[in-house]
Amino acid sequence: MPTQTINGVAAPTLGEFDVINPATGTPFATAPEATREQVGQAFQAAAQAFPAWCDDEDFRRAKLREASAAIAANADELTGLLSRESGKTAQFAGFEVPVAVGWLAYYADLDLPRELLRDDETARVELIRRPVGVVGAITPWNMPIGLAFFKIAPALRAGNTVVLKPSPFTPLSTLRFGEILREILPPGVLNIVSGGDQVGQWLVEHPLARKISFTGSVDAGRSVNISAANDFKRVTLELGGNDAAIVLDDVDVAQIVPGLFWSAFFNNGQACALIKRVYVPRRLYTDVVDALAGVATSTVVGDPTDPATQLGPVANLPQIQRVTGLVDKALENGATAAAGGRPLDRPGYFMEPTIVADIADGTPLVDEEQFGPALPIIAYDDLDDAVTRANGTDFGLGASVWTADPGRGARIAEKLQAGTTWVNTHASLGPTVPFGGRKHSGLGVENGPWGLEAYTDLQVVHVNRGTPGPSAG
């Protein structure tokens, strides 16, 4: 069993819980359940490590580079562990370690410049950024390695120390990279605890945490935000999305459909910034639905360890129950399944890739975030109305426009109320580009220099060069 990392060593396992392989629906491993005392020990270790860690920028950069190399050296082990606990195919699981490696390397080289606000005979005023202190981080089950390093890399680069908790559905790969990195990072700099919602609550409420970085559902993010507000913790919240794709009337259907499909079904549709609903001009509606259904029915669903498999199982029992429930309700109310529509009759949490047609706004499958392998296709007659409907949601994470005219697409993309809008692609992310949501899809951004600054507080240093004493200037 992988162990928790507290103050640079393996923490004793005082309780444990089962980890389910979604390809079988049965336990294949156990993970440690942190106690409240252990969460407190992790924060104490992080607080004690903070002064030395934040004081040596060159040392931090070097350690991030070492960490990047160590994660890369253990890629096969981490990817295999991730595949078993999450149900990802080797292809999809293989996307995550490069994110960890790349984000660590990127932030190791990223500067956090000082800004000179004034420099004259009477005063020098400089704006600098200081680390916030100890960061509490909570990561989701859909991309446990990759999204962890959206947080760890900038937090450590800025000079903070971290206490991180992964989802109880996918704890093992996170615990394992904690074991790898405790051989590199000084004790207390990165602490990993695991367990259920109670452990997450202890983390958010701990008085030594000065910032909480959370990725997960809107409801959970709301609870995190309320708890963090009690003692004025900073927050970055990357929450859910109900991303719309608008197909324009000038497209070559055969050309766009493969990209449209995999922008929705990457990782079995289990990512916040994937296409969750598609708006199609009525005259192209049948062609687009049929083409998407063709891709869906030809997609190989099966054992994620089989190289021929394109989609493995849904990651956990609650999630497949949610997705099948939304699809069933849509079909009961008159929608049709152009492809799929059912779970597979086999052990594990497998579901057919599902394309739902003859459906409209106001249906839960359209209005809510399904987070799984089911995609509703909605017809429209007027482009302005499609934009209005795409914006008519509390979500605002991403959106995309698909067109033969990228310039026209960009003009429409600017009308969409989302943190990121794409043209002829979707969910294209990188370490240099800010990522965050509008409306209920989150607070703050991750990635790029903006993501680094999110782990800092502003400090003004004003040096008076004139007569000592107060000054109005």
Side-chain angles (χ1 to χ4, degrees):
M1 179 197 311
T3 55
Q4 300 178 105
T5 296
I6 297 176
N7 202 26
V9 298
T13 297
L14 304 176
E16 59 187 51
F17 59 93
D18 288 334
V19 181
I20 306 299
N21 182 342
T24 64
T26 58
F28 79 101
T30 58
E33 179 85 29
T35 65
R36 186 166 196 159
E37 182 181 16
Q38 287 177 318
V39 173
Q41 291 168 352
F43 275 103
Q44 289 289 345
Q48 290 167 7
F50 172 69
W53 178 251
C54 76
D55 198 44
D56 191 336
E57 182 177 35
D58 290 339
F59 180 73
R60 294 201 305 272
R61 290 180 187 266
K63 285 299 178 182
L64 289 186
R65 295 186 186 104
E66 288 183 47
S68 177
I71 296 295
N74 289 274
D76 290 345
E77 178 191 5
L78 289 168
T79 298
L81 197 56
L82 174 60
S83 179
R84 293 187 71 190
E85 67 181 349
S86 70
K88 293 174 185 277
T89 63
Q91 177 191 10
F92 291 147
F95 280 101
E96 295 208 33
V97 168
V99 171
V101 171
W103 263 245
L104 285 165
Y106 168 74
Y107 279 105
D109 291 337
L110 188 63
D111 291 328
L112 194 58
R114 294 168 174 250
E115 185 177 351
L116 187 61
L117 304 181
R118 179 179 175 184
D119 189 17
D120 55 33
E121 68 279 2
T122 60
R124 178 183 175 88
V125 182
E126 211 172 7
L127 180 66
I128 62 177
R129 290 189 173 269
R130 303 296 299 157
V132 297
V134 180
V135 172
I138 299 177
T139 52
W141 48 260
N142 63 308
M143 290 190 67
I145 297 176
L147 293 179
F149 285 90
F150 275 31
K151 306 176 188 304
I152 293 169
L156 296 187
R157 168 63 187 88
N160 304 286
T161 53
V162 174
V163 179
L164 182 141
K165 187 195 89 71
S167 166
F169 290 115
T170 53
L172 302 178
S173 55
T174 301
L175 290 167
R176 180 65 188 120
F177 76 60
E179 293 176 333
I180 294 166
L181 295 183
R182 72 186 181 215
E183 302 300 319
I184 294 169
L185 298 172
V189 168
L190 176 63
N191 305 272
I192 309 289
V193 296
S194 58
D197 291 346
Q198 181 66 72
V199 178
Q201 183 177 346
W202 293 334
L203 184 151
V204 172
E205 294 177 350
H206 200 282
L208 289 178
R210 294 315 312 143
K211 178 183 173 76
I212 302 297
S213 181
F214 172 84
T215 299
S217 71
V218 172
D219 287 344
R222 183 179 291 108
S223 296
V224 167
N225 198 26
I226 291 169
S227 295
N230 284 330
D231 57 352
F232 301 99
K233 294 180 176 76
R234 280 47 172 166
V235 294
T236 296
L237 304 176
E238 197 276 281
L239 307 179
N242 189 16
D243 293 16
I246 299 178
V247 176
L248 301 192
D249 58 5
D250 59 2
V251 298
D252 179 329
V253 172
Q255 184 178 51
I256 69 159
V257 158
L260 196 64
F261 179 89
W262 287 109
S263 294
F265 286 87
F266 177 89
N267 197 37
N268 244 342
Q270 298 170 125
C272 52
L274 293 177
I275 294 172
K276 306 296 188 350
R277 51 198 170 117
V278 181
Y279 292 90
V280 178
R282 194 171 301 278
R283 75 173 185 83
L284 298 178
Y285 187 78
T286 300
D287 291 343
V288 171
V289 168
D290 289 348
L292 286 169
V295 179
T297 55
S298 67
T299 297
V300 179
V301 180
D303 183 348
T305 65
D306 185 340
T309 295
Q310 293 174 280
L311 291 178
V314 176
N316 54 70
L317 180 59
Q319 196 56 33
I320 194 169
Q321 290 173 334
R322 170 168 173 74
V323 178
T324 55
L326 288 170
V327 171
D328 289 346
K329 187 170 184 178
L331 299 182
E332 290 167 3
N333 285 279
T336 58
R342 300 179 302 276
L344 299 182
D345 185 16
R346 58 175 291 174
Y349 310 137
F350 293 88
M351 184 176 179
E352 298 171 327
T354 297
I355 303 297
V356 179
D358 305 317
I359 192 168
D361 298 277
T363 307
L365 181 61
V366 176
D367 293 353
E368 300 177 15
E369 182 182 31
Q370 67 274 45
F371 217 76
L375 183 65
I377 316 299
I378 306 106
Y380 74 83
D381 296 300
D382 177 79
L383 179 57
D384 289 340
D385 179 58
V387 170
T388 298
R389 285 191 274 160
N391 289 336
T393 174
D394 288 334
F395 295 100
L397 190 58
S400 58
V401 180
W402 298 74
T403 175
D405 183 346
R408 180 187 180 205
R411 291 190 295 273
I412 295 165
E414 291 184 8
K415 299 178 181 180
L416 296 170
Q417 297 168 3
T420 305
T421 53
W422 294 274
V423 176
N424 294 334
T425 188
H426 203 104
S428 178
L429 305 176
T432 63
V433 179
F435 177 64
R438 296 170 63 178
K439 298 187 276 189
H440 290 192
S441 286
L443 293 172
V445 299
E446 296 184 302
N447 303 337
W450 309 272
L452 178 59
E453 291 172 357
Y455 288 92
T456 66
D457 285 327
L458 291 174
Q459 182 180 23
V460 174
V461 178
H462 184 129
V463 178
N464 178 19
R465 290 169 170 163
T467 302
S471 170

